[in-house]
């Protein structure tokens, strides 16, 4: 497996020195090594974070004859099954990495085979006979940006990697798509489009789902978490004390105990903040080996410019959670190399408070579907950039495609919250007995709120912008900047990522 890595690729006339500059700006994503390959029509570069095949998994990958070349970021979860199939066809593997299975599959079947890959990935590949492609996974779990200029197309994992003269033309590469010079941009696998019908109980008309539904939710998530704990390096979880990360931790801790190990958990917050206290309670109940990163108000404030540079965003809601997330990830990286996260549960099971204002089933389903499609420009961007900056590989069991497909298939009426049903009621009931009652039924709080960062950061950075400045500058974007705090972050973003078009490339949360 490759995990979080940094890729740079180009099709068309391209100066290799530009590629090396871009790779240098991605060193944080791949501190374990660097590799490049130049062909007549293309250039490929890679920065590597090693998780599996630590000695032999360097990239670019190539076939034994040196005709097919590939660089990739992310993981292919079904690589072992694909490898056995490809070896039976006569393919010879040179490494134990998961992405070599993708290389041989694409060599054998072309880019049509991308739909067979299960996991998170961004790829660029080239052949000695002039072919080229770039692709990104369906959920957008792995980042990819591109810039098209004067017959040359350049790709990279992060905005900051691009040279200044390319930045005005940088665009987000769409998830679930592949690009080649022959066929242009085409979709190879859309997000699962499923009718919201309960599995195996489509005719059920009662006010509550039957027990089989809760069992299916539980079994599907357990299977995903247990698969995601497989690694050749230590694995832990970022435990916020909220429902989602606590459920993931409960599953992983039970799995580790069956194997005779203690699971590692990590939490962050101001001293005695709600999240720190809740995470401590969960860790004690589950018997994990627990570590905390406690910080001060001043630390939160001082880290913000660095966080904006890392995250490549100025959205306050995203940044409120990103500062504590970066700090706890730095702590976790001292002991583990893979971390499990609860990202995606709110979008699948209607966890945010404003979903409670929706009363119609069809409207809620469409709202959740839209939120999942946009995750790659919000929460997943934080997940990826923080992991890339700290040398961690993040794994998100709730966004396993099997779990996503199940979540979207459940009738939205079961996700509607009311006085008797709190948000994510389905998920809470499915894991009844797995967590302390005070945690299982704890009201939803934004990570930035629970860690204490939202109020500290909001008050301080709003004070750095006058009311007059805000009124004069807020209309530089559409929709306008929401607050003086957001303007303060926007100014820092412009300094750190000069030339990048924020209108097209920065996701903004409208519900805060």
């Amino acid at each position: 497996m490759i995990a979080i890595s940094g890729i740079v690729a180009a099709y068309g006339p391209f100066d290799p020195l530009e590629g090396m500059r871009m790779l240098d700006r991605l060193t944080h994503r791949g501190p374990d090594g660097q590799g490049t390959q130049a062909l007549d029509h293309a250039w490929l570069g890679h920065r590597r974070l090693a998780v599996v095949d630590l000695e032999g998994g360097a990239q670019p990958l190539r076939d034994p004859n040196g005709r097919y070349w590939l660089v990739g970021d992310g993981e292919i979860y079904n690589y072992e099954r694909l490898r056995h199939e490809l070896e039976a066809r006569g393919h010879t593997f040179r490494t134990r990495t998961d992405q070599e299975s993708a290389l041989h599959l694409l060599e054998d079947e072309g880019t049509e085979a991308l739909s067979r890959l299960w996991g998170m990935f961004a790829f660029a590949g080239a052949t000695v006979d002039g072919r080229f492609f770039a692709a990104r996974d369906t959920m957008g779990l792995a980042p990819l940006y591109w810039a098209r200029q004067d017959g040359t197309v350049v790709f990279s994992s992060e905005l900051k990697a691009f040279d200044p003269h390319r930045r005005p033309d940088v665009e987000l590469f769409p998830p679930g798509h592949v690009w080649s010079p022959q066929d242009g941009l085409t979709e190879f696998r859309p997000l699962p489009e499923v009718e919201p019908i309960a599995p195996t109980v489509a005719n059920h008309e009662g006010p509550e789902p039957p027990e089989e539904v809760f069992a299916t939710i539980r079994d599907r998530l357990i299977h995903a978490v247990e698969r995601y704990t497989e690694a050749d390096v230590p694995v832990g979880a970022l435990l916020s004390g909220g429902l989602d990360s606590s459920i993931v931790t409960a599953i992983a801790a039970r799995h580790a105990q069956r194997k005779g190990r203690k699971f590692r958990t990590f939490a962050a917050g101001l001293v005695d903040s709600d999240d720190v206290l809740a995470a401590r309670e969960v860790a004690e109940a589950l018997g994990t080996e627990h570590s905390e990163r406690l910080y001060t108000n001043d630390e939160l404030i001082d880290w913000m410019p660095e966080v904006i540079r890392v995250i490549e965003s100025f959205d306050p809601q995203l940044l409120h959670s990103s500062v504590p997330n970066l700090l706890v990830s730095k702590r976790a990286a001292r002991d583990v190399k893979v971390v499990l996260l609860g990202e995606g549960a709110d979008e699948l099971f209607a966890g945010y408070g404003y979903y409670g204002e929706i009363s119609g089933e069809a409207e809620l389903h469409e709202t959740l579907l839209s939120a999942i499609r946009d995750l790659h420009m919000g929460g997943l961007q934080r997940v990826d950039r923080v992991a890339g900056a700290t040398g961690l590989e993040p794994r998100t069991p709730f966004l396993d495609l099997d779990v996503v497909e199940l979540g979207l298939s459940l009738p939205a009426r079961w996700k509607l919250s009311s006085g008797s049903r709190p948000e994510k009621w389905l998920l809470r009931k499915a894991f009844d007995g797995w967590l302390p009652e005070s945690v299982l039924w704890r009201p939803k709080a934004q990570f930035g709120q629970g860690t204490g960062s939202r109020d500290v950061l909001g008050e301080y950075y709003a004070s750095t912008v006058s009311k007059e400045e805000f009124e004069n500058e807020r209309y530089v974007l559409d929709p306008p900047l929401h607050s003086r705090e957001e303007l303060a972050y926007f100014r820092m973003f412009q300094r750190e990522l000069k030339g990048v078009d924020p209108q097209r490339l920065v996701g903004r949360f409208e519900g805060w």
Side-chain angles (χ1 to χ4, degrees), residues 438-461:
S438 59
V439 174
L440 187 66
W441 299 101
R442 179 190 177 201
K444 168 70 177 176
Q446 298 296 329
F447 184 51
Q449 181 182 358
T451 59
S453 64
R454 185 186 69 175
D455 294 340
V456 172
L457 293 169
E459 181 179 342
Y460 175 81
Y461 280 103

Side-chain angles (χ1 to χ4, degrees), residues 253-273:
R254 288 192 181 193
H255 186 61
Q257 286 167 3
R258 288 196 299 271
K259 292 177 174 279
R261 298 194 300 263
K262 236 185 178 184
F263 192 64
R264 296 295 306 262
T265 53
F266 306 88
L270 295 169
V271 176
D272 294 333
S273 59

Side-chain angles (χ1 to χ4, degrees), residues 357-368:
E357 301 171 8
I358 301 173
S359 58
E361 181 176 354
E363 181 185 358
L364 179 60
H365 179 71
E366 288 304 316
T367 301
L368 294 176

Side-chain angles (χ1 to χ4, degrees), residues 294-371:
L294 304 179
Y295 46 71
T296 65
N297 292 355
D298 287 344
E299 280 187 283
L300 280 176
I301 292 165
D302 291 344
W303 271 98
M304 181 55 77
E306 172 66 8
V307 166
I308 288 174
R309 187 192 69 79
V310 167
I311 301 299
E312 301 185 332
S313 176
F314 55 86
D315 178 69
Q317 178 120 323
L318 190 62
L319 295 174
H320 292 160
S321 60
S322 295
V323 181
N325 199 256
L326 179 64
L327 295 177
V328 72
S329 295
K330 285 179 175 291
R331 172 62 189 88
R334 288 156 47 185
D335 297 315
V336 300
K337 213 161 188 180
V338 174
V339 288
L340 305 183
L341 306 161
E343 204 73 36
D346 288 316
E347 290 75 14
L348 286 175
F349 294 96
Y352 292 122
Y354 61 90
Y355 292 147
E357 301 171 8
I358 301 173
S359 58
E361 181 176 354
E363 181 185 358
L364 179 60
H365 179 71
E366 288 304 316
T367 301
L368 294 176
L369 190 59
S370 177

